[in-house]
Amino acid sequence: QVQLVESGGGLVQAGGSLRLSCAASGSIFSINVMGWYRQPPGKQRELVATITSGGSTNYADSVKGRFTISRDNAKNTVYLQMNSLKPEDTAVYYCLVVSTSGNYWGKGTLVTVSS
């Protein structure tokens, strides 16, 4: 059984910062890619950022220069530092882990940015 525990969501004013964390535990082997997706209200889930085991990163254009993804391979944990937050960043943020034993999603953490 694999568990992804997300934390760090909440309410913040525009221009503020939040840091999301997602820790993977259980029977999970050889994590390749870790990442974050988000689903704004009334919209489809979309890519935010991903990071490979080697540290290569990929960002959605809408968050480049404001968000930074990082990971701690020893702890099977991925982070998302979100700066200069905008109201349009309001969404449920989901952690994704891609491994040789399968792909796993977190339950999501709500980020609300007020104007």
Side-chain angles (χ1 to χ4, degrees):
Q1 187 176 358
V2 175
Q3 279 191 320
L4 300 184
V5 179
E6 297 151 326
S7 61
L11 174 64
V12 64
Q13 288 188 330
S17 298
L18 285 173
R19 188 188 193 215
L20 305 183
S21 300
C22 173
S25 62
S27 301
I28 189 165
F29 303 99
S30 299
I31 295 177
N32 298 319
V33 177
M34 304 183 83
W36 292 93
Y37 282 68
R38 68 186 181 187
Q39 187 164 13
K43 297 184 179 181
Q44 291 187 333
R45 193 174 297 190
E46 61 186 21
L47 169 73
V48 177
T50 60
I51 183 167
T52 68
S53 56
S56 296
T57 58
N58 179 50
Y59 294 93
D61 288 342
S62 59
V63 306
K64 283 181 181 177
R66 300 188 298 121
F67 291 11
T68 302
I69 190 170
S70 61
R71 64 190 279 176
D72 184 332
N73 291 330
K75 296 181 178 179
N76 287 342
T77 299
V78 61
Y79 306 95
L80 185 69
Q81 178 65 43
M82 304 185 294
N83 298 328
S84 302
L85 282 160
K86 304 175 181 180
E88 51 263 44
D89 294 317
T90 294
V92 177
Y93 284 71
Y94 296 92
C95 171
L96 169 68
V97 169
V98 178
S99 75
T100 55
S101 56
N103 300 342
Y104 305 96
W105 289 93
K107 293 182 179 180
T109 184
L110 178 62
V111 172
T112 303
V113 184
S114 63
S115 57

